């Protein structure tokens, strides 16, 4: 693979890291919103503890929040893997400069 091909591959990978980072930020925002909903529901339950509907909504929101957190963890792993690929590619590019 030529140095130019390696550079094109690196640009593609950096784009992937950028897209994954944007997704991670969106997931962070989603978790923040979900946590606010959980707090709102907890406060509502404190005011009306016998309201089964609120309790069910709270459990549903907690499940959604847990799912988003799992997505965050998966996204963080994907970012780390892509960054390792970029680092490996950088090593290859540096090696081709020495040839």
């Amino acid at each position: 693979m030529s140095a130019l091909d390696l550079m094109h591959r690196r640009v593609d990978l950096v784009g992937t890291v950028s897209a994954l980072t944007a997704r991670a930020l969106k997931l962070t925002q989603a978790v923040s919103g979900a946590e606010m909903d959980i707090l709102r529901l907890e406060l509502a339950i404190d005011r009306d503890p016998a309201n089964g509907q609120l309790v069910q909504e709270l459990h549903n929101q907690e499940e959604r929040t847990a799912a988003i957190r799992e997505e965050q963890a998966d996204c963080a792993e994907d970012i780390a893997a892509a960054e390792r690929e970029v680092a490996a590619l950088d090593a290859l590019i540096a090696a081709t400069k020495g040839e």
Side-chain angles (χ1 to χ4, degrees), residues 12-74:
D12 289 342
L13 281 172
V14 169
T16 298
V17 170
S18 179
L20 288 168
T21 301
R23 174 148 175 73
L25 291 172
K26 287 179 184 178
L27 289 169
T28 297
Q29 289 175 329
V31 165
S32 295
E35 288 173 346
M36 291 300 294
D37 283 340
I38 288 172
L39 289 173
R40 179 189 57 79
L41 289 165
E42 289 173 341
L43 290 171
I45 290 168
D46 285 345
R47 287 188 302 270
D48 186 8
N51 189 330
Q53 170 92 26
L54 289 174
V55 172
Q56 184 59 47
E57 286 180 40
L58 175 62
H59 291 302
N60 291 343
Q61 188 60 45
E62 288 170 338
E63 288 175 6
R64 284 191 292 271
T65 303
I68 296 169
R69 284 196 171 111
E70 285 182 33
E71 283 185 68
Q72 276 184 308
D74 292 344

